[in-house]
Amino acid sequence: MKERSAAECCPTPNTEPDLRPVEGQEADEELAALAKAVGHPARVQILRLLAHRTSCVCGDIVDELPLAQSTVSQHLKVLKEAGLIRGEVDGPRVCYCIEPRALRRLKVLVAGL
Amino acid sequence: MKERSAAECCPTPNTEPDLRPVEGQEADEELAALAKAVGHPARVQILRLLAHRTSCVCGDIVDELPLAQSTVSQHLKVLKEAGLIRGEVDGPRVCYCIEPRALRRLKVLVAGL
DNA sequence: CGATCCTATCGTTGTTTCACGATGAAAGAA
DNA sequence: TTCTTTCATCGTGAAACAACGATAGGATCG
């Protein structure tokens, strides 16, 4: 049983300010895309799981959700394509973690409404 | 040509604090539903239109968007069912305005991620 | 009254989503 | 090597979404 800490796969504190605009068509589409990714209870739950354990939970996510493995994998793909999470291969398993920059971006855009 | 001010149809400043929890299954579903409603560029644009003009814009929304009237009406319905906006009939037209409480709720939930 | 304007709804079409089981690929363990 | 574990992907079916034109209803104007 291997222990995994956040440092192993989530090496981007990345605190540089985001200079992109908060309004305009581009921001609209960006917000819509991010919000769409969050627009499913299972994906919200996944985000919370990844946020709470600052470490990355790999397939443990499947155990936490009442969904099939393939379904969870699909939701992870949606979140990844939206840029909200990142997955790194670690041997046989994959370590998912939140992409703080994208999450911050989402918060800023929503706050700008 | 009638002038419409915010006071005519948006009479709820409503500044009471929101006591609902920010986490848990219920909050997850609430956030997912709200985010889903925001998860389309046209709806984001509508929200911004309604926010900027503090007054309510009725069918003027249709003129602002490159979409058919029926499509815009459909998007308005989605936003309304999510609780994010409200529509009040004013003679032949309908006045839409943001539901500040729901928008605040969305911001709180997203910020809680 | 009839004509007009504004909006919602209906019906349709094509696309996307959601969920699942089954299959595959890659890495370790035996 | 072969077996097992872990995850992604494929294929499928049901449901939901997005967009439109057409239609209908309610309110106002003439």
Side-chain angles (χ1 to χ4, degrees), chain B:
Chain B
M1 180 72 66
K2 247 211 210 150
E3 281 303 313
R4 326 214 72 267
S5 73
E8 289 182 49
C9 80
C10 304
T12 15
N14 191 351
T15 191
E16 350 167 349
D18 201 325
L19 298 178
R20 285 173 291 176
V22 185
E23 301 195 10
Q25 182 185 334
E26 200 152 336
D28 285 0
E29 288 171 11
E30 201 187 351
L31 172 52
L34 289 170
K36 188 175 185 179
V38 181
H40 191 288
R43 293 197 285 268
V44 173
Q45 209 174 336
I46 290 174
L47 286 179
R48 285 207 210 277
L49 285 174
L50 296 183
H52 273 61
R53 337 196 166 180
T54 54
S55 85
C56 50
V57 258
C58 320
D60 305 338
I61 300 172
V62 176
D63 300 332
E64 303 272 3
L65 302 192
L67 294 173
Q69 178 266 326
S70 58
T71 305
V72 173
S73 193
Q74 185 62 30
H75 284 303
L76 288 168
K77 185 180 180 183
V78 172
L79 288 172
K80 186 162 56 176
E81 284 177 351
L84 283 166
I85 67 174
R86 185 167 27 121
E88 283 184 12
V89 178
D90 167 49
R93 39 197 115 219
V94 176
C95 166
Y96 284 100
C97 25
I98 286 194
E99 195 78 65
R101 190 173 174 78
L103 191 56
R104 270 203 310 275
R105 181 65 177 158
L106 171 62
K107 292 178 184 179
V108 167
L109 287 171
V110 169
L113 283 178

Side-chain angles (χ1 to χ4, degrees), chain A residues 41-108:
Chain A
R43 293 197 285 268
V44 173
Q45 208 175 337
I46 290 174
L47 286 178
R48 284 206 210 278
L49 284 175
L50 295 182
H52 272 61
R53 338 196 165 180
T54 54
S55 86
C56 50
V57 258
C58 319
D60 304 339
I61 301 171
V62 176
D63 299 333
E64 304 271 3
L65 303 191
L67 295 173
Q69 178 266 325
S70 58
T71 305
V72 172
S73 193
Q74 184 63 28
H75 284 303
L76 288 168
K77 185 180 181 183
V78 172
L79 289 172
K80 187 161 58 177
E81 284 176 351
L84 282 166
I85 66 174
R86 184 166 28 119
E88 284 185 11
V89 178
D90 168 49
R93 34 198 119 218
V94 176
C95 166
Y96 284 101
C97 24
I98 286 193
E99 194 79 64
R101 190 173 174 78
L103 191 56
R104 270 202 310 274
R105 181 66 177 157
L106 171 62
K107 291 178 184 179
V108 167

